[in-house]
Amino acid sequence: MIRPLFPPAALLEAAALLESLCDSRDETALQVGDERMLDFFDAVGQRLRTPAYARRYPELGPLGVYLRRGHLGTELARIEAGQRCLRFPLGLVFHVAPGNADTVFVYSWALAALAGNRNIVRVSDRGGDATQAVLAVLNEAMKEADPVVACTQRIVSYDHRDEATTAALSAACDLRVLWGGDQAIREIRRSPLRPAARDLTFPNRSSFAAISAEAFLAAPVAERKRAVEAFHSDAYLFGQAACASPGTLFWVGAEANVVNAQASFLTLLTEIVEDRGPRMDAAMAIQKHVATYGLAAEGIADAVRFAGNEVALVQLAAPVRLPRRWLGTGTFAQVRLASLDELAPLLQRQDQTLTHFGFTPDEMLCVAQRLGGRGIDRIVPFGRALEFSTVWDGYDLLREFTRLVTAS
């Protein structure tokens, strides 16, 4: 059985859920850039930016900013089709949200809704307090929204083992958006789509950080602290389990500079974690010890250092094999590179985000050009790893959520 969370309703079957959505051919149906959806998401964003939510759940502040009418309107304007080319909604979009990042589903759902689509979003049963806060805001904002919002949008929950429901929703949709681990996506793909439908997938990804040791040491103490605070936000939000959370730090520079920069970085990071959290319980501490010493046993690491339970540093052995699995919150592999030229051979297609400090935009552009699309979809400064963009994992989402019709 399906439990509707937005709008809240009694338990129902997949057929009843699909029947409850307004017909996309109705004269009141949503259009690309529909003002009614812009109004709704702007109202949601205003509520999420209030101190009551943004201070308690740090990840909700950026989401509130993202949903501002001005920002969404700018993104919509960017995809305006050219002369004699019209852009329309796809129809019904079925989203399967990830369990490791409570708010990610709102970003892709909002874009799909702004593209004029009817949407069904399945959220994980593992959703935490932030998910519940978002649902509360959505249902509150819905009371003042145009009825078309409640008529065309659904957020639901059901047991992930319920293959019959997944199959029914998959068979009815025009696009299926899958967030999650590789194995979870394989399992969902056992439910076939209609011939004209397709999948948009966001599977396992790995992310990294690059730091110029010389630039870090040359920076004033206040600037160093701001950089490490930004790194802390990138790494510790979502328990370092988000696809864009940095797992390995590439220290670029001479060996002596790298040793000194690493020591300063660790001191600052330890102080910031002590001040801001999160604090690790015994279970997480054990997870980190097992994972890090496991890397040593595999010959991937040749040194492990713990700063309390909150920070674990793993020195990678040569030849470098990057760990691409979650090692526990606050666990960072480290490797020294003589120059950025040594970075490209280490990266793979599954690698997503590279955050950086001490490098110019032109230097990062050169890195992207050397990679040539073989790895890394995003290169951003420290503090922006988890800043969602309309272009994500190499997809321009608003374009993916629409279809073009040409006339000549």
Side-chain angles (χ1 to χ4, degrees), residues 185-252:
I185 289 177
R186 290 190 190 100
E187 291 175 359
I188 294 170
R189 277 181 154 174
R190 292 205 298 257
S191 297
L193 298 169
R194 294 186 297 105
R198 59 187 173 86
D199 280 328
L200 194 62
T201 59
F202 300 92
N204 287 341
R205 306 301 300 271
S206 303
S207 294
F208 314 96
I211 308 169
S212 165
E214 182 180 0
F216 190 79
L217 292 173
V221 173
E223 184 179 348
R224 289 192 209 178
K225 184 176 181 180
R226 285 193 297 271
V228 181
E229 286 174 340
F231 175 85
H232 174 273
S233 297
D234 288 342
Y236 283 88
L237 205 60
F238 302 119
Q240 205 183 349
C243 58
S245 302
T248 296
L249 281 66
F250 298 112
W251 291 92
V252 182

Side-chain angles (χ1 to χ4, degrees), residues 134-167:
V134 168
L135 289 168
V137 169
L138 290 170
N139 283 305
E140 182 183 345
M142 183 186 62
K143 297 174 184 176
E144 302 173 6
D146 189 285
V148 74
V149 176
C151 187
T152 59
Q153 310 299 317
R154 298 286 186 274
I155 299 175
V156 303
S157 178
Y158 63 86
D159 193 318
H160 71 277
R161 294 167 296 185
D162 185 351
E163 294 184 6
T165 295
T166 297

Side-chain angles (χ1 to χ4, degrees), residues 34-45:
D34 201 291
E35 288 289 328
R36 295 166 293 182
M37 292 308 305
L38 278 170
D39 289 341
F40 171 68
F41 284 116
D42 187 60
V44 170

Side-chain angles (χ1 to χ4, degrees), residues 221 224-225 228-229 232 236 263-277 279 307 310-311:
V221 173
R224 289 192 209 178
K225 184 176 181 180
V228 181
E229 286 174 340
H232 174 273
Y236 283 88
S264 174
F265 188 92
L266 176 59
T267 298
L268 288 169
L269 182 59
T270 303
E271 292 173 355
I272 291 165
V273 171
E274 182 69 28
D275 181 48
R276 297 185 175 186
R279 311 303 298 177
E310 284 67 42
V311 182

